Amino acid sequence: MKITKAVIPAAGLGTRVLPATKAIPKEMFPIVDKPAIQYIVEEAVASGITDILIITNRGKEAIEDHFDRCPELEANLQKHNKNTMLKSIESVSRLANVYFLRQKEAKGLGHAIKCAQSFVGKEPFAVLYGDDVIIGKKPVCRQLIDAFNEYNLCVVGAKQVPREKIVNYGSLKVAPVRDNILKCTDMIEKPSPDKIMSLYSILGRCILVPEIFDILEKTPPGYGGEIQLTDAMKVLAKRDGITVVDFDGKRYDIGNKLGMMQACVELALLHPEIGTEFKEYLLQLNKIM
Ligand code: UTP
């Protein structure tokens, strides 16, 4: 089945990167010359997604402006023949049909996804977390869509995380299927050390079916008093199983300080315009540190 819709939850409060997020949404943090959320939208589009719902909240208007046209700026760039810049800003507003909806209270990721029900309708859909930038040769969202088409089950993108960190993530009960594919039959959000099921954790991408909305409707607040998407997905995992893709790509959690800096440094090194010069700079810096 062709998956053409994606939901990007971006209504979190971003408390781990305060005070930067007091007035600027973390999704708008620049990674070299693009805000983080643009990388995510581009990944969705490169995966065949045509319609994207971004879940926002108060104070995140900058995200809407970023995907809108900007006639004054366009006219100015045109007047001065700054065609490369003009193209770069025009293309952002043409990437996909981008829609916005506000989550009126930050009641958790599960609640944010529930807000997308009428946008999604009756089709399977992709979820790309607004603070997880993932760079892969083949877009990671596409890797998951391919697995959905093959196994006809919900899919999560996952990687193993260090044992000391898994308590801050979700933990999946998994069995190998083949190569980088596993099957998940249970999961737990932020497990205490004695409840760890494996070191595999969902990292920022999944393919869900509309049935998730009925389950979310009945899901009580879980860890941290928030409606957890993991608690709803657990129901499907236990009943039918969920396909796990140990994806091929590098994930940066820009919702934490170190992850954001890693994204900036590594993507600057890959940048066609400044990559070489930036590498020289880092090598020099290394000599004097
Ligand atoms: P996080 O837990 O990483 O985001 O949620 P957060 O709540 O902004 O983080 P901190 O702990 O305060 O720093 C994962 C994803 O779910 C979204 C976030 O925007 C992020 O993309 N989210 C989370 C919502 O859209 N709504 C919520 O109520 C919670």
Side-chain angles (χ1 to χ4, degrees):
M1 184 174 208
K2 205 157 182 244
I3 296 182
T4 58
K5 289 184 182 173
V7 178
I8 302 182
L13 299 177
T15 53
R16 284 167 297 154
V17 272
L18 276 169
T21 44
K22 197 176 162 206
I24 299 169
K26 59 182 166 180
E27 296 79 12
M28 288 303 291
F29 286 170
I31 302 178
V32 194
D33 50 7
K34 291 192 274 191
I37 197 160
Q38 189 177 332
Y39 289 87
I40 297 169
V41 168
E42 285 174 349
E43 178 195 329
V45 171
S47 304
I49 299 293
T50 55
D51 291 83
I52 299 173
L53 177 70
I54 303 181
I55 310 281
T56 65
N57 62 5
R58 271 178 304 280
K60 300 224 178 190
E61 295 80 12
I63 303 180
E64 298 187 30
D65 290 344
H66 185 68
F67 292 100
D68 196 0
R69 294 283 303 273
C70 191
E72 303 83 4
L73 180 58
E74 287 169 23
N76 182 287
L77 294 174
Q78 200 157 28
K79 192 168 139 201
H80 296 97
N81 285 324
K82 294 186 173 167
N83 294 325
T84 314
M85 286 178 201
L86 179 63
K87 256 194 201 149
S88 80
I89 65 153
E90 277 180 342
S91 62
V92 181
S93 56
R94 296 210 179 103
L95 277 169
N97 300 318
V98 183
Y99 305 86
F100 297 91
L101 187 78
R102 283 189 179 200
Q103 182 188 15
K104 297 193 175 69
E105 281 175 88
K107 287 190 189 166
L109 177 57
H111 179 260
I113 298 300
K114 178 78 175 64
C115 296
Q117 184 164 9
S118 60
F119 165 79
V120 165
K122 297 198 179 323
E123 301 162 36
F125 62 104
V127 175
L128 299 93
Y129 299 8
D131 56 358
D132 276 322
V133 171
I134 309 185
I135 307 295
K137 252 199 203 127
K138 178 173 176 180
V140 171
C141 179
R142 185 71 237 171
Q143 296 176 35
L144 269 57
I145 291 174
D146 289 347
F148 179 83
N149 288 335
E150 189 172 347
Y151 296 99
N152 211 17
L153 291 172
C154 287
V155 186
V156 294
K159 286 232 159 271
Q160 299 203 61
V161 301
R163 182 164 288 277
E164 65 278 11
K165 293 212 173 134
I166 191 86
V167 290
N168 302 318
Y169 288 77
S171 168
L172 305 177
K173 183 177 176 188
V174 288
V177 174
R178 65 162 171 84
D179 310 320
N180 65 332
I181 306 288
L182 305 97
K183 188 164 180 176
C184 163
T185 49
D186 200 359
M187 59 179 76
I188 179 168
E189 186 62 33
K190 315 249 182 338
S192 55
D194 57 315
K195 300 247 165 60
I196 295 170
M197 296 176 171
S198 80
L199 297 182
Y200 273 103
S201 185
I202 301 172
L203 295 183
R205 302 287 181 268
C206 38
I207 308 295
L208 297 174
V209 290
E211 194 190 346
I212 198 77
F213 297 118
D214 296 333
I215 302 171
L216 280 167
E217 181 75 46
K218 297 183 204 115
T219 303
Y223 182 88
E226 295 189 339
I227 297 177
Q228 298 288 348
L229 183 59
T230 322
D231 291 341
M233 285 202 279
K234 178 195 178 100
V235 175
L236 294 175
K238 283 187 151 178
R239 199 189 66 195
D240 310 325
I242 286 182
T243 303
V244 178
V245 177
D246 185 341
F247 58 78
D248 184 17
K250 180 91 195 265
R251 172 242 185 196
Y252 305 96
D253 176 5
I254 55 105
N256 84 56
K257 298 178 184 81
L258 184 63
M260 191 192 73
M261 288 314 300
Q262 286 166 336
C264 289
V265 171
E266 292 184 29
L267 295 179
L269 285 169
L270 294 176
H271 196 280
E273 199 181 310
I274 61 158
T276 312
E277 222 176 311
F278 186 61
K279 186 174 176 187
E280 282 299 309
Y281 163 73
L282 288 185
L283 290 170
Q284 288 302 325
L285 195 63
N286 187 38
K287 274 188 206 148
I288 52 171
M289 295 286 277

